[in-house]
Amino acid sequence: MEFLNILVNLFSEYGYIAVFLVLILCGFGLPVPEDISLVSGGVIAGFGKADPHTMFLVGMAGVLIGDSAVFLIGRVYGVRVLQIPMISRIVTPERFAKVQDKIARYGNWVTFMARFMPGLRMPIYLTAGTSDRISFYRFVALDFMAAVISVPVWVYLGYFGAYNFDTLIGWVHQGQLTVLGLLGTFALLFGVVYWIRKKRSIDP
């Protein structure tokens, strides 16, 4: 993976601060896969250039601060956020309207699952910030619960696969497929629970 090699070299040179800043930028829509950034942090820990447990904490901090900043931008600007040039290139009015609808209907669920949906994460967090359905503290709690699942997986994957990139890349692909599988399973369970509750509310 080209991104993996670039990030490993960058992180090897600048350490924790580079990992932290890249993850914050990922929160703002930087076109670098967040999972690869975390894996790369784990790799340099595997090379002995960082501590894996500290790297996990740095990863959590970068992810949560980046996500929270995006949420707060949405909270401060509201729908005017679409007038910000950098954001308007990523979040179109059509996408914003669709996410608004999902937030209104499934606020907590959508916010939690967004962490596992690359490409949609930033628009969802930004839109959640413009909504009155989710407070900042609830957002941080939901984001933390999702991040504490995903961040250690990628960091320690990189740590244990640092000296065998071919195997590591296979693990990353498998991890991505596993996450997608879990996402599909959760979505199915949510759909079943929603259908049962709706049916019970209709039946006398």
Side-chain angles (χ1 to χ4, degrees), residues 79-189:
V79 295
R80 292 178 295 127
V81 75
L82 297 180
Q83 299 172 7
I84 300 175
M86 183 181 73
I87 291 176
S88 64
R89 296 191 187 97
I90 302 171
V91 186
T92 63
E94 294 77 13
R95 173 177 280 187
F96 183 77
K98 288 180 180 178
V99 176
Q100 270 190 322
D101 177 63
K102 299 299 181 186
I103 292 289
R105 296 170 66 186
Y106 319 110
N108 293 342
W109 175 257
V110 172
T111 303
F112 175 80
M113 294 305 294
R115 166 128 309 279
F116 309 101
M117 295 187 283
L120 294 176
R121 187 182 303 128
M122 185 268 196
I124 290 174
Y125 291 163
L126 188 73
T127 307
T130 68
S131 171
D132 294 332
R133 282 288 308 274
I134 301 174
S135 70
F136 175 69
Y137 298 108
R138 180 178 293 183
F139 171 80
V140 171
L142 290 167
D143 196 33
F144 176 83
M145 287 189 290
V148 84
I149 294 171
S150 64
V151 171
V153 169
W154 299 122
V155 170
Y156 291 107
L157 203 65
Y159 175 70
F160 289 112
Y163 284 98
N164 192 332
F165 266 38
D166 290 336
T167 300
L168 176 59
I169 290 170
W171 286 351
V172 170
H173 284 309
Q174 186 61 47
Q176 290 168 334
L177 291 173
T178 300
V179 168
L180 288 174
L182 289 173
L183 181 62
T185 302
F186 281 130
L188 179 62
L189 289 173

Side-chain angles (χ1 to χ4, degrees), residues 11 15-16 19 41-55 159:
F11 295 166
Y16 298 121
V19 177
V43 167
I44 69 165
F47 288 160
K49 297 182 178 181
D51 176 76
H53 310 308
T54 303
M55 186 60 72
Y159 175 70

